[in-house]
Amino acid sequence: MTQVTEKGLKLAQQITRKVEPPYELQQVCSLICRHAMSVHRVSEAMCNGHPAMSSPYIDIKTASRLQENHDAWCKKRDEQLTQRIVELAKKIPGCKGAIVGGDPRGAPVKLVMRNRRLHNDWGGEGLAVPY
């Protein structure tokens, strides 16, 4: 049983354009918002790199090995989250799919709706998921 969050409720309201959307939709939207925050954190980690890379006390060979492990973990986690978000997006009525971005400066997840007029991002691609 998933707890409904404020951001999930807000997203469900944007999708249905109702004050009180169905409870199942609220749960799915809450999970998508939670995963969007995780995507944002992983994207930041990919951009920043491993903390050992900026340490003057760690030799370059060790730092490079740590960075490779960090990159592998980030890639694996990003793939897991992307797969999970796409699966959850299929449960939303009127949703064609999800766009999962790798840039932490923008919206990490966008839901592509069948109704092309239903969007809130600058590119007009879909609904930006709050994170």
Side-chain angles (χ1 to χ4, degrees):
M1 197 70 155
T2 304
Q3 183 178 1
V4 175
T5 62
E6 185 177 330
K7 292 177 185 177
L9 176 62
K10 179 181 172 184
L11 181 61
Q13 289 171 343
Q14 288 177 345
I15 292 170
T16 60
R17 297 183 179 177
K18 294 180 181 178
V19 176
E20 196 61 40
Y23 186 71
E24 294 80 20
L25 180 63
Q26 293 177 28
Q27 289 180 320
V28 170
C29 290
S30 296
L31 275 174
I32 289 175
C33 290
R34 189 175 103 204
H35 292 320
M37 187 66 215
S38 296
V39 167
H40 177 71
R41 288 185 182 138
V42 170
S43 298
E44 278 184 342
M46 280 188 215
C47 288
N48 292 337
H50 194 278
M53 293 303 287
S54 61
S55 175
Y57 305 109
I58 298 177
D59 63 303
I60 191 69
K61 187 176 180 180
T62 303
S64 295
R65 182 179 44 79
L66 291 172
Q67 181 64 37
E68 287 175 9
N69 292 341
H70 178 73
D71 289 342
W73 178 85
C74 287
K75 183 179 178 184
K76 179 182 175 186
R77 186 69 179 136
D78 188 50
E79 290 170 357
Q80 290 172 342
L81 289 167
T82 300
Q83 180 182 8
R84 181 72 174 134
I85 289 169
V86 169
E87 288 173 7
L88 288 170
K90 291 177 184 176
K91 296 180 181 181
I92 296 176
C95 183
K96 290 195 298 187
I99 299 171
V100 180
D103 191 357
R105 297 173 294 179
V109 178
K110 297 176 190 174
L111 297 177
V112 180
M113 306 303 287
R114 287 193 177 93
N115 181 0
R116 294 297 295 168
R117 291 181 285 154
L118 186 59
H119 64 84
N120 65 354
D121 65 332
W122 288 357
E125 296 173 323
L127 285 174
V129 175
Y131 62 95

